[in-house]
Amino acid sequence: MAVRRGVLTLFLALGAWAQGLYSPYAGAYLLPLRTLPGAEGAWAAFRGYLANHLSYAQGGWGEMGFDLEEVRLEVGLGLRRGSWQAGVYLPFSLYYGGFLDYLLDPFHKALALPYNREQGQVLLFARRGEEGRRWQGPVFGPRDPYLRLDGFLGPVRAFAALAFPLGDPGRFLGSGGWRVLLGGGWAWEEGEAWLGATLPLGRQVGLEPFGEGPSLSALLRWEGPLKPFAVEAEGFWGPWWEAGPFAYGLALRLRYGAFSFAEDLWGKLPDVVFSWEGVFPLPSVSSP
């Protein structure tokens, strides 16, 4: 029993996207792990998120903190043929002061949890030794787009993705470098499991002043007899190996069909994330 508990804990601590959102710093590098299978032929995919970020930690490794609210929209276009599909995805983010703090802070105070002592600010910073990065004020812009190829081979899932460094790393919207995601999964009647690794292809200036490296991510989904309800646990480890509690994370998500609510279990992911996702077939164009 102890061995099984240890294996499960390791699996969850390794890993993540249906939380879909990480801290703005790690989220500039990590790529979505799970995707939705599109309809046969051409399709369009949409994901929307509303997240509250309030995280801070310091230690011998350095210092990092975020205080903001984020709205993210991701648009994808793709094509499915049988067991394979390919798509291109473009995410956008808005960082602003927000309103969720006013709803969440009374609960956080009652439970003796950290809460926002300064409402409405947008602050992102990271420091290691004498080096550091800081941004204060609202942000809107595109994040790093990516190409993705998925194979659905019976219960087996296989995927690969390539991210392009087009988001602004200075505003915590991109990693500043190319990177690739490789992984796979397994689906059964009552759930899914996904595991992947995001590998840097060269320098990632958006992760400085911390060192960069590969990251591991994992997602465990269970539906059981309660469909369309589902419970998901996901987490990640990396891309830094020396960033204190920001080097890993774990979140729990409750899903009802296309809608979900996620709660941070580690303290260094968004406090809460509300999300929606959907894939829609596009009309085919045939020659006369």
Side-chain angles (χ1 to χ4, degrees):
M1 181 64 70
V3 173
R4 273 189 294 182
R5 275 202 305 266
V7 171
L8 179 60
T9 301
L10 176 61
F11 177 79
L12 294 178
L14 286 178
W17 184 310
Q19 164 80 9
L21 252 63
Y22 312 96
S23 73
Y25 205 15
Y29 175 86
L30 296 169
L31 293 173
L33 185 59
R34 176 179 175 267
T35 192
L36 294 175
E40 184 72 15
W43 48 263
F46 299 92
R47 276 182 170 137
Y49 305 92
L50 172 63
N52 181 265
H53 299 271
L54 180 59
S55 303
Y56 174 78
Q58 66 174 341
W61 53 271
E63 181 182 26
M64 197 180 301
F66 310 101
D67 184 6
L68 64 133
E69 197 163 294
E70 179 179 2
V71 172
R72 185 181 300 187
L73 174 65
E74 182 180 277
V75 180
L77 293 173
L79 181 68
R80 177 158 185 178
R81 288 286 184 260
S83 299
W84 299 90
Q85 79 175 24
V88 57
Y89 300 84
L90 179 59
F92 294 85
S93 277
L94 168 67
Y95 298 158
Y96 67 113
F99 63 91
L100 289 177
D101 282 335
Y102 298 97
L103 304 177
L104 297 174
D105 282 352
F107 295 99
H108 287 175
K109 291 178 182 178
L111 297 173
L113 297 173
Y115 63 92
N116 196 342
R117 301 176 185 274
E118 183 174 345
Q119 304 287 350
Q121 72 171 343
V122 178
L123 177 63
L124 309 95
F125 65 91
R127 179 189 60 81
R128 186 180 190 185
E130 299 299 321
E131 299 181 76
R133 300 174 57 214
R134 182 183 178 94
W135 180 272
Q136 190 162 7
V139 169
F140 174 74
R143 307 182 69 86
D144 291 345
Y146 60 96
L147 296 172
R148 178 165 175 144
L149 177 66
D150 283 270
F152 304 95
L153 311 173
V156 178
R157 306 289 188 256
F159 57 87
L162 175 66
F164 302 84
L166 299 182
D168 183 357
R171 298 188 298 162
F172 292 82
L173 292 176
S175 75
W178 298 76
R179 56 206 186 278
V180 63
L181 169 69
L182 300 173
W186 185 270
W188 61 95
E189 185 177 355
E190 295 184 340
E192 300 174 344
W194 298 73
L195 183 66
T198 305
L199 310 173
L201 302 177
R203 183 184 176 194
Q204 310 286 313
V205 296
L207 299 182
E208 296 175 351
F210 295 90
E212 63 208 40
S215 67
L216 298 176
S217 54
L219 166 66
L220 183 63
R221 173 189 176 97
W222 181 75
E223 295 178 345
L226 301 177
K227 294 180 182 180
F229 285 98
V231 179
E232 298 175 348
E234 58 179 332
F236 70 94
W237 186 14
W240 323 282
W241 307 111
E242 297 179 359
F246 286 95
Y248 38 82
L250 178 63
L252 176 68
R253 181 172 47 261
L254 303 177
R255 181 177 293 279
Y256 179 79
F259 298 91
S260 70
F261 167 79
E263 172 66 28
D264 176 22
L265 298 181
W266 208 259
K268 301 300 174 282
L269 291 169
D271 289 337
V272 295
V273 180
F274 300 93
S275 63
W276 171 87
E277 61 183 6
V279 179
F280 306 93
L282 295 176
S284 59
V285 179
S286 57
S287 56

